Each structure stands twice: as C-alpha cells, then as structure tokens.
C-alpha cells in the first residue's frame, strides 16, 4: 500500500531540494501541506505533491515556449 502522506524529509528526497526549500514551498502555499499534532509536524499528501509536479511541468513548458527560460 502506498503512503498517503509524506513528511517534508520525504518531499526533499523526492524533489532533491533542501529542507528550507520544502518549508518555503509549503509556507507559500505553492505546495499544499497540513500540520498535524501538537508539535506541528507537517505532512504533504502524495496527490498534492504529484499535482505540484504536474503544475511545474506545465509552467516550465510555458516558459520554454515563450522564451523566458532556456536549457543550459
């Protein structure tokens, strides 16, 4: 059975980003997460991470088409 929720550490590993980058994504609302329990542990639903990745693919494709970004 697949995990429904991921920790921010899982998100950093999957996206190959730093913990501060993952926190910033959640804090800004760009990547939706929920805070659970008294200690305020953050979790990101697997479906939300997949939706975020799909949005990033679309945004990147748009920037490439408009010439805003190049492949280095």
């Amino acid at each position: 059975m697949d995990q429904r929720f991921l920790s921010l550490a899982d998100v950093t590993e999957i996206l190959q980003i730093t913990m501060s980058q993952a926190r910033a994504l959640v804090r800004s609302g760009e990547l939706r997460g929920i805070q659970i329990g008294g200690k305020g542990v953050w979790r990101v639903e697997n479906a939300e991470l997949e939706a975020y990745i799909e949005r990033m693919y679309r945004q990147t494709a748009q920037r490439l088409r408009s010439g805003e970004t190049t492949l280095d």
Side-chain angles (χ1 to χ4, degrees), residues 39-62:
K39 293 185 179 182
V41 175
W42 284 94
R43 293 290 181 257
V44 174
E45 194 169 5
N46 230 333
E48 291 294 336
L49 180 59
E50 291 303 320
Y52 169 77
I53 292 168
E54 188 57 38
R55 281 193 310 276
M56 292 302 101
Y57 273 122
R58 282 195 306 272
Q59 287 177 15
T60 300
Q62 280 181 317

Side-chain angles (χ1 to χ4, degrees), residues 2-71:
D2 286 334
Q3 276 186 285
R4 180 174 177 180
F5 292 97
L6 303 168
S7 68
L8 288 188
D10 294 331
V11 171
T12 65
E13 189 174 319
I14 292 166
L15 295 179
Q16 296 183 351
I17 60 175
T18 66
M19 183 60 78
S20 61
Q21 289 171 314
R23 285 188 185 115
L25 286 173
V26 171
R27 210 174 294 124
S28 71
E30 198 170 345
L31 175 59
R32 288 179 40 175
I34 57 174
Q35 209 169 16
I36 299 176
K39 293 185 179 182
V41 175
W42 284 94
R43 293 290 181 257
V44 174
E45 194 169 5
N46 230 333
E48 291 294 336
L49 180 59
E50 291 303 320
Y52 169 77
I53 292 168
E54 188 57 38
R55 281 193 310 276
M56 292 302 101
Y57 273 122
R58 282 195 306 272
Q59 287 177 15
T60 300
Q62 280 181 317
R63 286 195 305 266
L64 286 169
R65 280 193 299 274
S66 69
E68 291 177 40
T69 276
T70 60
L71 296 174

